[in-house]
Amino acid sequence: MASPSKTRLAFQYDGKLSRLKTHVHSVTPFAALEEGNRLLFKQGSDGDFVIVTNETIFHPQGGGQPSDEGIIKSVAAQNAPSSPDTHTSPPPPPPPSSSFQVKAVRMDAVHEGQVLHLGAFISPQHMASGDEVEQLLDQDKRLLYSRLHTAGHVLGSAVRSLLETQVPGFDELKASHFPDSAACEFHGAIEARWKEAIQARVDEYVRGSMPVEIEFWTEDDFRARGLARLIPDRRLLPPGEDRFRVVRIVGAEVYPCGGTHVERTDLCGETRVKKIARSKGISRVSYTVS
């Protein structure tokens, strides 16, 4: 691959972007990737390529959220009109266009801060370093993943508000926001009898149309709000940043989070608590959105 260059995570600053013009940093055949990066893509094949761009609106898989999918297409250079001149040759035609189907996105495991877009060319390959391209998201999948991610935070907020002082050793651990396995995990034994109360609190938060705001905090900002327990590992800071991205559900909880979200809790849609499972001191509360 080309020499390392950190990818700006455009989606973290404007989650409404569904298309973005940027430039290609590198195009690499999947088979030529470093082993550490090939291992990131179980579905990768020798016919695939990996594209790195200067910035991206594609969310890489991580933080419990699936990666975005979509298209990267070349932007043909436009020749400026000129006055007719019989003594000069006509301008050369623009380069042929090229389209690339993005099927998986990951953070680079070898070069810090790069985002790898895995996929295949669906028209002849005519992309190279420096080319201008346009990224286009699969908006239906992005919306679903955003609804699931926000609903996971709503569920976490509801459980904490009810059980933080009721369950010995309570703490929020991790979450999955994948469509077929959405769930939040908590330290402590949450009994099945709490399911109805948790559902009622989730319904209250969703109906309340609570704003979901994106902010950027320093470690001191967390401490000033009495949330020192939430300060993330500094290695999770975005490339070139000194502030952590947080998602604040106004009237509920704050979560350090790099994922995508809907703007209000009611946009999650109906959020149903499926079941509560317990194992070795960990409780897993699964959910769906519809």
Side-chain angles (χ1 to χ4, degrees):
M1 292 181 64
S3 59
S5 176
K6 293 182 179 180
T7 307
R8 181 178 183 272
L9 308 180
F11 65 86
Q12 290 202 338
Y13 304 93
D14 186 352
K16 294 181 181 179
L17 287 174
S18 61
R19 57 198 306 155
L20 174 73
K21 287 184 178 179
T22 184
H23 288 84
V24 172
H25 173 68
S26 62
V27 180
T28 306
F30 178 74
L33 283 181
E34 303 90 342
E35 181 181 6
N37 281 330
R38 288 199 307 274
L39 293 173
L40 296 174
F41 299 103
K42 295 181 180 179
Q43 68 274 61
S45 69
D46 287 347
D48 290 332
F49 288 79
V50 164
I51 293 180
V52 175
T53 51
N54 292 349
E55 54 188 329
T56 187
I57 53 173
F58 288 88
H59 182 282
Q61 182 171 302
Q65 181 172 332
S67 72
D68 283 320
E69 299 177 27
I71 298 288
I72 298 176
K73 66 178 184 178
S74 59
V75 177
Q78 300 295 320
N79 294 302
S82 58
S83 301
D85 187 341
T86 58
H87 300 290
T88 60
S89 300
S97 62
S98 187
S99 293
F100 180 81
Q101 182 78 48
V102 178
K103 60 184 181 181
V105 187
R106 301 287 189 273
M107 292 302 302
D108 194 311
V110 178
H111 305 120
E112 182 182 2
Q114 284 194 344
V115 174
L116 309 180
H117 306 82
L118 174 81
F121 285 94
I122 52 180
S123 61
Q125 181 193 349
H126 295 290
M127 287 186 197
S129 178
D131 286 355
E132 185 178 19
V133 292
E134 185 172 27
Q135 299 176 338
L136 299 98
L137 284 180
D138 181 326
Q139 296 186 66
D140 290 339
K141 287 186 177 179
R142 162 59 74 82
L143 178 58
L144 174 60
Y145 300 157
S146 298
R147 291 172 56 217
L148 281 162
H149 203 148
T150 304
H153 289 335
V154 167
L155 174 60
S157 298
V159 173
R160 178 176 287 278
S161 70
L162 289 167
L163 302 181
E164 184 173 22
T165 61
Q166 301 296 318
V167 173
F170 176 88
D171 198 8
E172 293 182 67
L173 299 177
K174 61 181 181 178
S176 168
H177 311 296
F178 282 69
D180 297 327
S181 59
C184 298
E185 293 188 3
F186 305 87
H187 188 274
I190 299 176
E191 298 176 7
R193 65 185 178 86
W194 284 104
K195 180 182 175 183
E196 185 176 342
I198 293 170
Q199 182 65 67
R201 185 61 54 87
V202 166
D203 292 343
E204 175 189 338
Y205 285 0
V206 171
R207 286 196 306 266
S209 300
M210 303 162 83
V212 180
E213 299 181 350
I214 305 298
E215 300 176 358
F216 291 85
W217 291 5
T218 65
E219 292 183 8
D220 287 341
D221 290 328
F222 284 95
R223 295 188 185 98
R225 293 167 171 82
L227 296 173
R229 64 179 173 81
L230 296 179
I231 297 175
D233 189 317
R234 290 193 63 82
R235 290 175 294 182
L236 299 179
L237 281 169
E241 295 290 341
D242 60 358
R243 294 172 181 264
F244 296 98
R245 185 177 188 264
V246 301
V247 174
R248 183 164 69 95
I249 301 176
V250 178
E253 292 291 318
V254 169
Y255 291 92
C257 180
T260 66
H261 294 274
V262 292
E263 295 181 290
R264 303 186 315 272
T265 55
D266 60 303
L267 297 178
C268 295
E270 183 179 11
T271 303
R272 303 304 301 170
V273 179
K274 289 176 61 179
K275 62 182 290 188
I276 302 173
R278 294 169 300 282
S279 177
K280 298 179 180 179
I282 303 299
S283 297
R284 179 179 175 89
V285 183
S286 58
Y287 71 96
T288 61
V289 298
S290 60

